[in-house]
């Protein structure tokens, strides 16, 4: 497996990277950790005449937790997400989810920006970002704009990001309440058969708010407002969970693949979601 | 595309090599620098046979272009041994029969090396999780895990003795 | 007392049989200094790469190589047209069929080799592959062997009118052979009259050995000297040399085949692949060395698969559980060409070991081989030829019979085991089992896991499940397997006419060290360590003073290679026998040195001692020196021996495995709580190596049973071409194994050893699979096909109505 020829660019700033993108248009593509893109290039399923390696852009790195707001540079690796104690304190679900992504080597290279930006429905972070109601910052030739994760995904590998834009950072309010990321996969390193991100706030023994998103059960991550609403006001008991699961099942649209047929995936989606809700509630 | 000159510091030695942008790091190491320890097993970053250590991270060198490593410090299995002899991990793999055909071994030891740097006192479960990016078809991992735990114990004992 | 201690010290110093000697291979492997085929680099070496078919069945209308040839750095593009004048566009398979080297008019499976590009490096070769323009006309595809036997679609047009194949009559254009063993009429009569009959279709799915190192070769034709050197991933280098000679017309002494270090074989590297042939031809054509290394996708899609046996079984018994007969019909999907790696006379390998560990008075087996639009192969993936299929079949049938009889499956096994006093045992399907003590092994295994407690816990779990207290089920997977390994004997077993003996050649150096060369080749088994141990015990030199070499046909004696656990039973025997020849000559030399008659000497660990005068002795080291510096009347100088060993029988290792598995009925996830493996491989040469082999084989069994498959869609597209989808467990999915043993030596093997490398796969697959089945037995499950990945386990539960 050998990729086609390409020209390699390693700009040192966002501005420089945007300039290369502008110059080469559709022929150029940015690369973060490369662990999704490089295998595709080796299989010659992705043709990238101009490859823009973002590793030297310091502006894209770092995690900050300030005043209840979490900001993460797009080039922050999964490994850094896992080992950052401030992040773990502010949003423990980030570490929990990142540990379920790929394997140690891939987590040293794989970045949150790459994970959310390439639009692979199998990636874990997009669903989690929707659950957290995160905001993505996109830098383009006309400046910066911000898009909510919940509005970002259009279809498999299709997002709101324009070809001449770079996703530079992710921010979200440190979540309140109990959090859980639950994932069924065939083995270490696999994408989810089904995964659920759940955050529940508790007040006076009842669910005050709930945010629920699932992964790899549609051609985009699935944030289900209805599933969250089904829990609000309840004691998060069996009936409420069933209502949440029913709502979620109405929003997902899995397809058959080597992980199994549609019926199985729907069943597992319900089981995994229920487990995530139970765990989040127990932590709320 | 023409070749570009890139600088790699490999096992403590600085090299300037000419490589096409698309050249995979594993090929640069194996063919240009004649370091045949990293092996190609799956080519899609699943097996870890090509694992090397880059700037303190375990990396699958079949899924990295040499150009990405320009300026980096790389350690391969060939650089793990000390001037005094084999690294404890290498000795323990032999002692506990942690290898059979040897194909996964360089990547496995290189990965274990970094794992023990980050977590000098791992549990069995942590070792298993920590080497989950490296596949072995021969050993069933049981003796690999044993070897890594034994190496950790030896390294810790040596550290304590030194203090 | 002191003498005894001295003697024990001398024994220990040998590091011979029974010693967990550390491996001599490990120093190079742990330091990255192995020498695998892709490590071979020669001046001026070119690289080959294949254009492969995207279709499972298509006519090749045209191939245009102009654009590829125009690419800078491309040296040649070979197609079938280029190979035809050399008669190399097709090649014989090990199974008596022939296989296209490059597509000759049509392609028959996805990934089939269509053209071979040769370029200055692998990057340019890969670019050129993209530039070769092939025009295909798609043809209808057959992926189901049952459909293939009914269909009008002709797959093999080259032999469509041939009514006779290599193994007898063909009854349909997609039929390869019907192979039968046993007494069909008598078996059917027993079944008709039986008190109880259990009937089941048992499918052992298609999978792949997938060693971590893919296949490859480097061919270097020296036109000046007329010598061809071929490095490659060959589990049988000598046979490859013979085949290369027959195909190329180059005389055998002018071909040197070298198997360097091999990164795992597991059966994948027994066969001859188009890549080997093309690298040779390309080197001859270009005059430069040519390397071909396949990638993982090519490995999984185009080199030898394993299994794919549809086994329809009937087993009969009395009401109290005594088995009276076994009937089996197999529909064997061989893919596009019959490239099975079996001894010539056995097109279904040793599948007729399928009466297993049980005393079954009458049996019949019939196997229909069928062509489909899938990759060729049918290799023994970490097993002796088709023995995993046989063991899986009988161990499933026993479980199904236990259900039919409403009997405990452990007890059903116990009452049907061949008894220790029945050995040597003649099976209904023609084998003579050499030795065994199944009851002892079984009782030890059941006691070790506290079997009765497990059953009680399981019963409670079923109650709890039904009461809604848990969603997890407990499965207890039992297996008692009997392997058959170590082919020869030559009178029955050959590969392409080459008798399946093996060999060892020993040379003792004057200073008392030695080199031994064998016809086998290690792929991780540690031959350099263990064969030296056999020899150490035979000749009294320390294993540390003995070098073992294999894999170079210029230096090693002819042998049939390493697969089917044959190295220890056959080459290990040759080693012992050659050692004994050394000792016989050494005795004469010692007698001369000690001035006594030969018969006055006795062997003691590492020396010949004058009987009754233990202070008068000559060590093997002394003798070795004398062999080179003394003129001994009637004795030639030097100390060398060679043995070609033709085993009188195969060996029959066996074992008892028990797997305890927790299964989540809702998600299909599982956890292996306990795995106990008792192996009896006869005399144990190196317990450490044996244990390692068992761990590895069990993990391959885990993979196969729980998820690993080569799957195709209806169009014949391979759905499992990368390690994303082709399941190989990591350290996390792999459980901790408990190993144990009994030791029943083989009566006919010089040191009583039987072979062990493949037992854990043979026994492991049914143990894992039976655990899954057993978990659902209380809810009515009889049979569900592997692999038991999450969704298939979920489907079992769903079909049984366990999801409410």
């Amino acid at each position: 497996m050998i990729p086609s020829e390409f020209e390699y660019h390693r700009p040192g700033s966002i501005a420089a990277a945007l300039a290369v993108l502008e110059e080469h248009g559709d022929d150029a593509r940015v690369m973060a950790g490369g662990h999704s893109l490089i295998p595709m290039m080796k299989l010659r399923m992705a043709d990238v005449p101009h490859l823009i390696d973002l590793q030297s852009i310091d502006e894209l790195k770092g995690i900050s937790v300030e005043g209840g707001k979490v900001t993460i540079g797009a080039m922050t690796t999964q490994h850094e997400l896992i080992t950052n104690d401030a992040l773990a304190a502010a949003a423990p679900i980030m570490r929990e989810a990142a540990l379920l992504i790929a394997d140690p080597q891939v987590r040293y290279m794989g970045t949150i920006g790459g994970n959310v930006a390439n639009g692979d429905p199998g990636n874990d972070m997009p669903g989690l970002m929707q659950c957290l109601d995160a905001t993505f910052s996109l830098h383009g030739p006309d400046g910066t704009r911000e898009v909510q994760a919940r509005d970002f995904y259009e279809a498999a590998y299709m997002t709101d990001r324009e070809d001449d834009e770079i996703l530079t950072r992710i921010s979200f309010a440190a979540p309140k309440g109990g959090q859980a990321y639950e994932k069924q996969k065939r083995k270490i390193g696999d994408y989810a058969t089904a995964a659920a991100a759940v955050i529940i706030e508790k007040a006076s023994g009842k669910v005050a708010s709930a945010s629920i998103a699932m992964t790899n059960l549609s051609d985009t991550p699935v944030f289900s407002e209805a599933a969250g609403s089904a829990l609000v006001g309840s004691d998060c008991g069996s009936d409420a969970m069933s209502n949440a699961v029913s709502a979620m099942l109405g929003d997902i649209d899995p397809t058959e693949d080597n992980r199994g047929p549609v019926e199985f995936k729907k069943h597992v989606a319900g089981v995994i979601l229920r487990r995530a809700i139970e765990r989040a509630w127990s932590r709320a | 595309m023409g070749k570009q000159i890139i600088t790699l510091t490999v096992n403590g030695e600085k090299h300037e090599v000419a490589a096409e942008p698309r050249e995979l790091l594993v090929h640069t190491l194996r063919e240009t620098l004649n370091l045949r320890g990293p092996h190609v097993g799956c080519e899609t970053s699943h097996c870890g046979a090509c694992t090397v250590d880059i700037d303190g991270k375990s990396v699958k060198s079949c899924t990295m272009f040499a150009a990405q490593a320009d300026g980096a410090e790389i350690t391969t299995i060939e650089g793990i041994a000390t001037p005094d002899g084999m690294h404890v991990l290498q000795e323990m793999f032999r002692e506990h029969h942690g290898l059979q055909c040897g194909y996964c071994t360089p990547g496995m030891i290189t990965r274990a090396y970094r794992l023990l740097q980050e977590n000098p006192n791992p549990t069995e479960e942590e070792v298993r999780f920590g080497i989950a990016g490296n596949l072995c078809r021969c050993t069933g991992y049981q003796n690999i895990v044993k070897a890594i735990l034994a190496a950790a114990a030896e390294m810790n004992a040596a550290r304590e003795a030194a203090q | 007392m002191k003498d005894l201690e001295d003697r024990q010290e001398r024994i220990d110093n040998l590091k011979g049989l029974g010693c967990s000697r550390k491996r001599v291979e490990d120093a190079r492997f742990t330091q990255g200094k192995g020498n695998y085929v892709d490590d071979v680099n020669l001046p001026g070496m070119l690289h080959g790469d294949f254009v492969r078919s995207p279709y499972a069945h298509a006519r090749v209308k045209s191939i245009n190589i102009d654009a590829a040839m125009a690419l800078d750095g491309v040296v040649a593009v070979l197609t079938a047209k280029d190979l035809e004048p050399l008669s190399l566009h097709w090649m014989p398979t090990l199974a008596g069929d022939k296989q296209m080297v490059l597509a000759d008019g049509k392609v028959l499976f996805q990934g089939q080799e269509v053209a071979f590009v040769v370029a200055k490096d692998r990057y340019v070769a890969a670019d050129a592959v993209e530039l070769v323009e092939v025009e295909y006309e798609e043809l209808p595809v057959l992926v189901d062997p049952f459909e293939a036997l009914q269909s009008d679609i002709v797959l093999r047009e080259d032999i469509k009118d041939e009514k006779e194949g290599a193994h007898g009559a063909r009854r349909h254009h997609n039929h390869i052979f019907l192979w039968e063993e046993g007494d069909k009429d008598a078996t059917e009569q027993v079944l008709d009259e039986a008190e109880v009959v259990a009937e089941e279709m048992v499918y052992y799915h298609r999978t792949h050995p997938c060693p971590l190192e893919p296949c490859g070769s480097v061919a270097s034709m020296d036109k000046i000297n007329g010598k061809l050197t071929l490095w490659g991933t060959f589990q049988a280098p000598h046979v490859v040399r013979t085949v290369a000679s027959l195909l190329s017309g180059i005389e055998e002494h002018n071909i040197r085949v070298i198997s360097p270090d091999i990164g795992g074989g597991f059966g994948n590297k027994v066969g001859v692949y188009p890549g080997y042939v093309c690298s040779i031809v390309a080197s001859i054509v270009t005059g430069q060395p040519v390397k071909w290394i396949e990638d993982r996708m090519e490995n999984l899609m185009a080199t030898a698969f394993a299994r794919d046996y549809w086994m329809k079984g009937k087993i009969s018994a009395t009401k109290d559980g005594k088995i009276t007969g076994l009937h089996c019909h197999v529909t064997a999907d061989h893919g596009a060409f019959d490239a099975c790696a079996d001894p010539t006379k056995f097109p279904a390998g040793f599948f007729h070991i399928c009466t297993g560990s049980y005393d079954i008075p009458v049996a019949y087996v019939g196997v229909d081989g069928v062509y489909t639009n899938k990759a060729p192969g049918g290799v023994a993936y970490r097993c002796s030829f088709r023995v995993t299929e046989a063991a899986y079949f009988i161990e499933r049938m026993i479980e199904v019979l236990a259900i039919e009889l409403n009997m405990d499956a452990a007890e059903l096994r116990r009452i049907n085991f061949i008894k220790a006093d029945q050995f040597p045992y003649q099976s209904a399907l023609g084998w003579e089992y050499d030795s065994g003590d199944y009851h002892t092994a079984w009782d030890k295994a059941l006691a070790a896991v506290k079997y009765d407690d497990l059953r009680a816990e399981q019963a409670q779990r079923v109650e709890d499940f039904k009461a809604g207290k848990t969603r997890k089920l407990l499965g207890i997977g039992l297996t008692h397997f009997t392997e058959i390994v170590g082919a020869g004997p030559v009178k029955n077993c050959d590969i392409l006419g080459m008798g399946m003996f093996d060999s060892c050649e020993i040379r003792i150096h004057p200073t008392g060290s030695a080199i031994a060369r064998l016809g086998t080749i290690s792929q991780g088994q540690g031959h350099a360590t263990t064969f030296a141990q056999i020899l150490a015990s035979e000749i009294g030199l320390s294993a540390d003073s003995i070098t073992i070499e294999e894999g170079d046909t210029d230096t090693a004696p002819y042998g049939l290679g390493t697969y089917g656990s044959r190295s220890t039973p056959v080459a290990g025997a040759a080693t012992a026998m050659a050692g004994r020849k050394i000792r016989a000559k050494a005795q004469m030399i010692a007698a001369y040195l000690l001035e006594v008659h030969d018969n006055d000497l006795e062997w003691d660990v590492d020396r010949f001692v004058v009987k009754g005068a233990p202070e008068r002795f000559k060590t093997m080291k002394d003798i070795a020196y004398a062999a080179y510096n003394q003129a001994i009347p009637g004795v030639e100088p030097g100390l060398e021996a060679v043995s070609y060993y033709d085993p009188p029988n195969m060996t029959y290792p066996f074992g008892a495995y028990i797997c305890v598995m927790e299964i989540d009925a809702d998600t299909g996830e599982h956890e292996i709580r306990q795995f106990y493996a008792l192996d009896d491989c006869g005399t144990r040469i190196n317990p450490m190596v044996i244990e390692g082999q068992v761990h590895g084989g069990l993990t391959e069994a885990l993979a196969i049973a729980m998820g690993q498959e080569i799957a195709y869609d209806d169009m014949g597209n391979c759905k499992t071409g990368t390690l994303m989808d082709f399941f190989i467990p990591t350290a996390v999915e792999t459980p901790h194994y408990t190993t144990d043993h009994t030791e029943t030596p083989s009566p006919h093997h010089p040191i009583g050893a039987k072979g062990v490398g493949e037992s854990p796969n043979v026994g492991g697959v049914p143990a894992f699979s039976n655990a899954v089945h057993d978990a659902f037995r209380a809810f009515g499950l009889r049979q569900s096909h592997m692999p038991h990945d999450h969704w298939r386990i979920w489907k079992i539960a769903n079909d049984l109505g366990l999801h409410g």
Side-chain angles (χ1 to χ4, degrees), chain B residues 5-17 33 35 69-74:
Chain B
I5 301 296
I6 57 172
T7 306
L8 306 173
T9 303
V10 185
N11 300 331
E13 203 176 317
K14 199 166 168 181
H15 299 271
E16 289 195 341
V17 298
L33 299 178
L35 295 165
D70 189 6
E73 295 218 13
I74 302 174

Side-chain angles (χ1 to χ4, degrees), chain C residues 253-274:
Chain C
H253 73 282
N254 278 331
I255 301 177
R256 179 181 183 189
V257 174
I258 299 172
S259 293
D261 288 326
I262 294 183
F266 316 123
N268 192 197
K269 294 165 180 171
V270 172
V272 173
Y273 297 120

Side-chain angles (χ1 to χ4, degrees), chain A residues 26-38:
Chain A
D26 287 352
D27 280 351
R29 194 157 162 188
V30 298
M31 178 178 74
H35 276 49
S36 298
L37 183 59
I38 294 173

Side-chain angles (χ1 to χ4, degrees), chain A residues 8-173:
Chain A
Y8 177 79
H9 306 266
R10 197 200 281 188
S13 67
I14 293 172
L18 288 172
V20 184
L21 266 181
E22 193 173 8
E23 185 186 348
H24 297 288
D26 287 352
D27 280 351
R29 194 157 162 188
V30 298
M31 178 178 74
H35 276 49
S36 298
L37 183 59
I38 294 173
M40 297 304 277
M41 292 171 74
K42 289 175 74 177
L43 291 162
R44 300 207 177 202
M45 291 163 80
D47 187 28
V48 184
H50 290 271
L51 184 70
I52 307 170
D53 182 352
L54 300 179
Q55 67 165 298
S56 295
I57 305 178
D58 288 338
E59 306 158 74
L60 296 177
K61 294 175 187 168
I63 299 170
S64 86
V65 182
E66 274 170 42
K69 190 181 175 194
V70 177
T71 307
I72 304 172
M75 287 298 286
T76 305
T77 65
Q78 311 290 0
H79 180 79
E80 288 160 346
L81 295 179
I82 291 164
T83 50
N84 188 291
D85 291 335
L87 179 64
I93 195 171
M94 290 295 290
R95 176 183 284 179
E96 188 171 63
L99 279 168
L100 295 172
I101 294 173
D103 61 45
Q105 285 94 320
V106 177
R107 291 195 292 267
Y108 282 113
M109 292 300 292
T111 65
I112 188 168
N115 198 283
V116 300
N118 90 335
D120 184 338
N123 285 351
D124 290 275
M125 285 295 171
L128 176 53
M129 292 301 116
Q130 293 194 338
C131 177
L132 287 162
D133 197 14
T135 303
F136 299 157
S137 299
L138 299 166
H139 273 61
D142 304 327
T144 307
R145 67 185 178 106
E146 300 201 322
V147 186
Q148 295 310 110
R150 292 175 188 174
D151 300 327
F152 186 69
Y153 298 95
E154 294 164 354
Y157 303 102
M158 303 282 286
T159 67
D160 187 53
R161 185 181 66 84
E162 298 296 332
D163 284 347
D164 57 2
E165 289 181 313
I166 297 172
L167 193 152
T168 54
R169 90 175 56 86
I170 289 140
S171 56
F172 53 85

